[in-house]
Amino acid sequence: MDVGQMQRRLLDYTKSLFMEKGVLDGQFLQLQQLQDESNPDFVVEVVSLFFEDSERLLNDLTRALDQPNVDFKTVDSHVHQWKGSSSSIGASRVKNGCIAFRNFCEEQNIEACLRCLQQVKQEYYLVKNKLETLFRMEQQIVAAGGSIPVLELSF
Amino acid sequence: MATATAAEVYGTPPDEELHVLAVDDSYVDRKVIERLLKVSACKVTAVESGIRALQYLGLDGGKSSVDFDALKVNLIMTDYSMPGMTGYELLKKIKESSAFREIPVVIMSSENILTRIDRCLEEGAEDYIVKPVKLSDVRRLKEFIIKGELEENSKTRHQKRKQRDEDQPSSSSSSSSSSPTTSLSFLQLPAGDDASSSDPPSSPSSPLSQPELLLGSPSKRSKLLDRD
């Protein structure tokens, strides 16, 4: 595959992440706009922080919901954090999952909370997978001497 | 009557940029806000809590971590929901302080709750931004702060001129009075290697488009250029 083909593939793949029921929203594009030659790894760095954050929150939530007496305030606080960081990087489905999760925390509905946790976990692994694929494709282009094309999308 | 040159209106020491203190317990958000501000040609100090923010400002009663030459803070942007001290509590502390109450404080929050917004504005917050914060939010804020400083200095200059006229009613003020105020420096692009990062590729307006700020308020403009 030549660089041109790789670049086209990358653009198509990126677009698919935003399409209907896509895993990303406009905030991710905003992050890409903040990247430039002086900060060429900005997006990867922020997303990596998000991954670290998410793994920690996932563990904390699993533990918190496993307690004999679940402290819903604690659970809600973790979900709120996760909602925040996912929103900041544009991981819209994780964010939306967290919104629903918080509603059930308020209701103190343990069963629903456990279901939500699974849901958000799935969404997280999905977006993680896709972003890692995206970054890999970018690396391949750079390794082949090409530049990463910037997606222009109007929202 | 000599009209002001661009240098007199816009010229300033090149090392004067808006200095923003950003407060957020989220590492992800700190990184994003830091980048948003740097791209908008601002100096940033990012801290993880209200306590740290107060320490930085020297308001915590202990020794200030800010040394004598440290930059003045022009704007504080704080997250609302933080463990320990909330952004609201930080806002209150700052507005209670005689030294820092003039610094504009902006609250950032992922939650669009009207009562919360009202409370913050009533307590003196300049603005309430719903997260995620975007480049357009930072631009808007920056223009607002600059405009505030311009008004502040226009008022001061006007008062100084009034004072001088009252002291010596017969003298004309043809000699340029006070030197250009330092706050006008925000209209200038920062020198050196910041220039590349302050110019995001797809931005519709560069920092240099700020002259429009003056055009927006003709009365203020004439005050600044008035030399009678």
Side-chain angles (χ1 to χ4, degrees), chain A residues 27 30-31 33-34 36 38-39 42 45-46 49-50 53 80 83-85 87-89 102, chain B residues 27-29 31-32 35-36 39 81 110-111 131-136 196-197 200-202:
Chain A
Q27 184 61 17
Q30 174 79 125
L31 294 189
Q33 283 187 337
L34 296 175
D36 61 18
S38 70
N39 266 261
F42 175 69
E45 285 169 8
V46 180
L49 284 176
F50 168 68
D53 227 32
H80 174 76
K83 178 189 142 203
S85 56
S87 157
S88 292
I89 68 139
R102 289 191 82 194
Chain B
Y27 201 175
V28 171
D29 287 357
K31 190 152 176 88
V32 174
R35 187 71 191 138
L36 282 170
V39 157
S81 315
S110 56
E111 297 176 296
K131 284 179 160 184
V133 182
K134 293 180 274 295
L135 209 51
S136 54
S196 55
S197 59
S202 50

Side-chain angles (χ1 to χ4, degrees), chain A residues 26-80:
Chain A
Q27 184 61 17
F28 187 77
L29 285 183
Q30 174 79 125
L31 294 189
Q32 287 186 320
Q33 283 187 337
L34 296 175
Q35 185 165 286
D36 61 18
E37 313 78 53
S38 70
N39 266 261
D41 300 316
F42 175 69
V43 180
V44 172
E45 285 169 8
V46 180
V47 171
S48 303
L49 284 176
F50 168 68
F51 290 164
E52 280 170 32
D53 227 32
S54 300
E55 303 288 342
R56 180 182 53 84
L57 289 165
L58 190 49
N59 283 335
D60 291 347
L61 278 166
T62 307
R63 208 175 316 120
L65 284 170
D66 204 28
Q67 302 302 306
N69 288 322
V70 173
D71 179 354
F72 285 98
K73 264 188 83 184
T74 303
V75 175
D76 182 71
S77 155
H78 292 319
V79 181
H80 174 76

